[in-house]
Amino acid sequence: MDNSTIFSRRSFLGGVSAAALLPGLAKAQTPLTFESFAARARALSGFDAIPRALLSGARSALADTEIDAFVSEDGSSDNADKTVLKALYTGMHAPAEGTPERFAYAQALMYATIEDAVNVPSYCGGLPGYWSEKPDNV
Amino acid sequence: MVTTLPQTPDLVVVGAGVAGGLVAKQAAEAGLRVTILCDGPTLDRADLVDRFRQADPQSLMSPYPVVPHAPQPQVNRTGDYLIQKGPDPYDQQYIRAVGGTTWHWGAATWRYIPNDMKLRTLYGVGRDWPIDYDEIEPWYYEAEVELGVAGPENAPFDAPRSKPYPMPEAPFSYLDQVFHDKLTALGYDVIHAPQCRNNQQVYDGRPPCCGNANCMPICPIGAQYSGNMSVEKAQAAGAELITNAVAHHLEVGPDKRITAVRYLKPDGSEFRLKAQTFALAANGIEGPKIMLMSKQEHAPDGVGNSSDMVGRNLMDHPGTMSKFDSKDPLWPGRGPNILSGIVNLRDGPWRERMAARKLMPDNKTHVHEVTVEAIEEGLTGAELREAIRHRAARRQIVFSFNEQLPDPSNRIVPSSEGLTDALGLPRPEIHYRIDDYVHRAAEDTRRRVEEMAVAFGATRDSVWHNDGYLPNNHITGATIMGDNPNDSVVNRDCRTHDHPNLWIASSSTFPSVSSVNVTLTIAALAIRMGEAIAAEARP
Ligand SMILES: Cc1cc2nc3c(=O)[nH]c(=O)nc-3n(C[C@H](O)[C@H](O)[C@H](O)COP(=O)(O)OP(=O)(O)OC[C@H]3O[C@@H](n4cnc5c(N)ncnc54)[C@H](O)[C@@H]3O)c2cc1C
Ligand code: SF4
């Protein structure tokens, strides 16, 4: 995991208009702040609260040219939607080509989705033998 | 230039996994001067857990550092190191470090059943072991005590035993319980898997398993046994451990005794260690490879190879995997990765024509897989969350291990094309074919799982089966055991026929692979070997 990339993206996305910094996005209609990205990510994922590490990671998974379509909600962003959702839910970005990058593990939304039944692997699940009980939600 | 070390131990053990660790421990505790050579480094559990959590992506090998001088077959990329000559891939995977491959194992510790050792006599296929179950039974028990095994009493198709398991069986998860109930109704025997992880108690200084559900690739708390624990006990008893020492040559004297082992350090410098006795415990691929690399005047075909059997008869448990979605939520992922076994296909008269099998419901969470699947389908928002929950609770996987027969043309040799690793040592070249004995059993298993799936509310045609076979890392056969020195490498004691002071501790000595995981049998034979070497060394 390359923390330097994340931190640098995080700091510039933390309020500064991306359009001001990214020449390719200078004509963007939507103000491409971190907040607009986060709002769209929340709506798409079904989660009201998303850890910032996941949001920053998901943002960094998109090519700069895809952000506009993603935030604009005009239906043109199928691929970007899936890229962001996979990043938020799995905690990593695994492009078809190129090196995968993990930005979160236990915070990945897929684990939050099932947390009442299954613990995050490598974290203790409960009292020894807890697994023999019927899960509460069954 | 080769530097000869000043010490001359009673015993040199090459390899620091469960096999080497146990031979060394027994011998050191009996008072022998023991040196262990390991090609890799020592590992720290906390580091491994950190590396796992940060890995992208997470695989069986992601916790384990890459060791350039001791290359390890990487998941899905075994061909970077193992040269696959086919026709089928032999995608085995192992760790080269102190502790060996049991750092990331499932800790399933099954005994062979007596018939597993008499295939030729009973079914007219494969080979018999030169020893029978009764001879190994006391050593199985010693191994269970050493590894700390929890298991069921009087379960069907579990091997006969003279004493109870050291710990009672680990409880089923809800999923295993449902499998048990539904499959019992269909006539199957589903039993608690014997396993060396601590069941609700402290054992041998290890904490109780608290269901981190991460047994493969790393138990974060050390509740399950791994080979480094035996190595540490050997060290506590006085054994010397030399790490990052890649053994590559055994020297043979005119009297056929092994006189020294040579090893390389990461910088390529070479050392030579003389000893009275040698135990090769470098796993089922690296061990035979060292023997075949050791061609010399008094061993022109390699060490222990007057029968031409070193490297041959390579076996594994070619695996099948079948997947379906149950109607009701069973929630895989609660507790240890494997808790039960479907065992009544371990033996039967049909072994004349098809492989014995052990089937296992998988208790790992499949949430990653169902998440990516649902996202790819275009689901979003609440619908996506619900789909992930629904599927993660219902995705069922049944694995099967198929017994494979020994075939001398299935073999490992040092690269015949001069392909080498970073130290210039030949890479292992594998020739491997899976035959109809296995294919017939795999077909039968697939049909059976389709029937099972119906009992879980799935349709037959919704069951997904893997193509080909999965590797199961039970690397067996390449220094095969037998009474006849013309067609076997080691005798019934696991001592080489050719060299009176060279012993082999590994599943590579097994004449049959059975349908169960091999490591408890490795451990039993290793403990027996440590005692035998110590007994012989005593005046
Ligand atoms: C994912 C996975 C899950 C598994 N689960 C199970 C299970 O549930 N139950 C079961 O019974 N088995 C299981 N196995 C198999 C089990 O791990 C092996 O049977 C066992 O580790 C073999 O022990 P060993 O000591 O012979 O070899 P290893 O554990 O591989 O140890 C070999 C040792 O030799 C050293 N070595 C190798 N070459 C050299 C050299 N040239 N010079 C010096 N040292 C050398 C290595 O560093 C290592 O220390 C599993 C394997 C895998 C990969
Ligand atoms: S379930 Fe967890 S604690 Fe138990 S053995 Fe596996 S990893 Fe270790």
Side-chain angles (χ1 to χ4, degrees):
Chain A
M1 184 158 53
D2 179 356
N3 286 328
S4 60
T5 322
I6 294 170
F7 285 125
S8 61
R9 282 192 188 273
R10 195 181 280 172
S11 45
F12 102 69
L13 288 168
V16 185
S17 159
L21 293 171
L22 301 172
L25 296 174
K27 294 194 193 105
Q29 299 300 306
T30 322
L32 294 181
T33 60
F34 188 78
E35 276 319 314
S36 55
F37 175 84
R40 174 87 178 108
R42 281 195 286 270
L44 205 61
S45 67
F47 275 85
D48 290 340
I50 302 179
R52 196 162 174 101
L54 276 178
L55 285 170
S56 309
R59 164 63 186 80
S60 69
L62 286 186
D64 292 335
T65 48
E66 292 173 304
I67 295 177
D68 194 12
F70 175 74
V71 175
S72 67
E73 286 185 68
D74 65 359
S76 64
S77 60
D78 249 24
N79 281 340
D81 288 0
K82 286 179 182 168
T83 303
V84 170
L85 280 176
K86 281 186 211 162
L88 295 174
Y89 268 87
T90 68
M92 63 180 290
H93 176 49
E97 279 163 32
T99 319
E101 185 190 356
R102 175 172 297 286
F103 23 83
Y105 170 52
Q107 292 174 311
L109 298 185
M110 65 181 179
Y111 292 122
T113 308
I114 59 168
E115 69 188 347
D116 57 333
V118 176
N119 53 302
V120 179
S122 85
Y123 293 91
C124 191
L127 287 177
Y130 77 88
W131 54 84
S132 63
E133 285 160 23
K134 199 169 175 172
D136 286 345
N137 56 17
V138 170
Chain B
M1 198 195 94
V2 186
T3 308
T4 301
L5 296 185
Q7 66 269 45
T8 311
D10 300 317
L11 171 67
V12 167
V13 179
V14 178
V18 50
L22 286 172
V23 176
K25 171 185 171 287
Q26 293 303 117
E29 287 179 352
L32 267 59
R33 286 174 297 111
V34 178
T35 298
I36 308 169
L37 297 182
C38 181
D39 53 2
T42 51
L43 300 174
D44 176 74
R45 190 176 298 277
D47 282 351
L48 297 175
V49 176
D50 281 349
R51 290 171 59 89
F52 166 76
R53 290 178 180 158
Q54 288 172 24
D56 42 8
Q58 284 158 334
S59 76
L60 274 176
M61 280 306 278
S62 49
Y64 301 95
V66 170
V67 182
H69 61 271
Q72 308 168 100
Q74 297 292 322
V75 180
N76 299 330
R77 286 195 291 117
T78 60
D80 290 0
Y81 179 54
L82 304 179
I83 302 163
Q84 304 283 356
K85 290 294 185 184
D88 294 306
Y90 192 68
D91 278 327
Q92 308 304 318
Q93 203 273 296
Y94 47 87
I95 295 175
R96 296 177 75 175
V98 176
T101 309
T102 50
W103 273 107
H104 72 179
W105 69 327
T109 32
W110 296 83
R111 296 179 176 203
Y112 277 35
I113 49 177
N115 288 1
D116 289 338
M117 303 171 79
K118 292 278 173 267
L119 274 190
R120 170 60 57 184
T121 302
L122 295 173
Y123 306 113
V125 295
R127 291 168 68 132
D128 285 352
W129 288 54
I131 53 175
D132 64 21
Y133 180 81
D134 290 343
E135 285 174 68
I136 198 179
E137 199 283 335
W139 302 104
Y140 267 137
Y141 181 70
E142 293 291 319
E144 287 165 346
V145 170
E146 197 56 46
L147 272 55
V149 176
E153 287 313 313
N154 302 318
F157 290 91
D158 203 17
R161 30 187 326 109
S162 54
K163 293 182 188 155
Y165 282 101
M167 277 181 279
E169 64 201 21
F172 280 159
S173 67
Y174 176 66
L175 173 147
D176 294 281
Q177 189 60 53
V178 174
F179 265 84
H180 171 271
D181 296 349
K182 289 194 185 295
L183 297 190
T184 304
L186 292 180
Y188 289 95
D189 290 305
V190 182
I191 70 169
H192 294 260
Q195 43 191 281
C196 54
R197 61 176 62 85
N198 286 358
N199 177 23
Q200 302 174 80
Q201 67 176 84
V202 173
Y203 185 96
D204 202 20
R206 307 187 322 229
C209 163
C210 65
N212 293 263
N214 205 55
C215 324
M216 293 175 279
I218 175 69
C219 173
I221 60 171
Q224 71 179 19
Y225 171 89
S226 44
N228 56 305
M229 296 172 182
S230 295
V231 175
E232 286 157 19
K233 286 184 188 170
Q235 288 179 276
E240 173 193 30
L241 171 67
I242 305 180
T243 56
N244 298 308
V246 185
H248 69 101
H249 188 86
L250 294 161
E251 293 179 9
V252 182
D255 59 354
K256 294 284 184 187
R257 291 179 69 83
I258 305 294
T259 50
V261 55
R262 292 193 191 191
Y263 63 87
L264 299 173
K265 295 294 282 178
D267 62 3
S269 54
E270 188 171 15
F271 292 82
R272 183 166 174 269
L273 178 57
K274 293 191 284 183
Q276 297 301 322
T277 305
F278 296 81
L280 189 55
N283 88 36
I285 289 180
E286 299 296 329
K289 194 186 84 171
I290 296 170
M291 294 170 77
L292 291 171
M293 282 157 55
S294 301
K295 290 186 177 166
Q296 56 204 285
E297 185 186 352
H298 301 298
D301 300 314
V303 159
N305 197 25
S306 61
S307 62
D308 188 32
M309 282 293 131
V310 175
R312 296 187 182 273
N313 299 303
L314 204 54
M315 295 174 268
D316 179 34
H317 290 126
T320 59
M321 171 172 82
S322 303
K323 237 188 256 189
F324 60 87
D325 286 341
S326 56
K327 182 167 148 288
D328 297 322
L330 307 185
W331 285 113
R334 292 166 54 83
N337 291 171
I338 295 278
L339 281 161
S340 64
I342 304 163
V343 288
N344 43 317
L345 301 173
R346 285 189 70 181
D347 196 28
W350 38 264
R351 275 175 106 174
E352 283 175 9
R353 52 180 204 91
M354 71 172 150
R357 281 146 284 164
K358 171 167 67 74
L359 276 57
M360 295 143 284
D362 186 14
N363 192 33
K364 293 196 286 300
T365 178
H366 313 300
V367 67
H368 188 283
E369 168 185 317
V370 301
T371 297
V372 172
E373 189 182 282
I375 293 171
E376 280 301 339
E377 285 167 21
L379 302 182
T380 60
E383 210 186 351
L384 173 62
R385 284 180 71 162
E386 191 38 44
I388 293 172
R389 277 184 68 74
H390 188 88
R391 294 177 199 184
R394 290 167 177 79
R395 179 68 39 96
Q396 311 305 338
I397 292 184
V398 177
F399 289 116
S400 172
F401 289 174
N402 291 293
E403 170 159 41
Q404 185 176 20
L405 300 176
D407 172 356
S409 57
N410 283 345
R411 64 190 305 204
I412 174 262
V413 292
S415 171
S416 60
E417 297 157 337
L419 299 175
T420 55
D421 64 17
L423 282 178
L425 301 175
R427 287 164 51 195
E429 175 180 304
I430 314 278
H431 301 255
Y432 185 66
R433 189 174 69 87
I434 297 170
D435 68 10
D436 286 344
Y437 189 73
V438 171
H439 298 327
R440 280 191 283 271
E443 269 317 300
D444 184 60
T445 302
R446 290 182 172 130
R447 185 185 53 74
R448 286 171 182 274
V449 178
E450 288 171 12
E451 271 169 23
M452 293 175 190
V454 172
F456 287 81
T459 57
R460 275 171 186 273
D461 55 9
S462 69
V463 180
W464 178 93
H465 305 291
N466 71 310
D467 283 338
Y469 296 94
L470 302 171
N472 278 303
N473 314 296
H474 299 141
I475 306 169
T476 300
T479 60
I480 205 155
M481 186 196 304
D483 282 337
N484 181 352
N486 294 324
D487 77 348
S488 60
V489 179
V490 297
N491 68 13
R492 54 179 56 222
D493 299 325
C494 298
R495 189 200 296 254
T496 53
H497 291 297
D498 293 355
H499 313 285
N501 65 339
L502 176 62
W503 306 65
I504 300 179
S506 168
S507 43
S508 62
T509 62
F510 297 3
S512 70
V513 68
S514 82
S515 58
V516 295
N517 319 53
V518 293
T519 309
L520 188 75
T521 308
I522 299 177
L525 295 176
I527 294 173
R528 186 182 71 144
M529 180 182 300
E531 299 251 321
I533 291 172
E536 199 168 86
R538 281 185 205 116

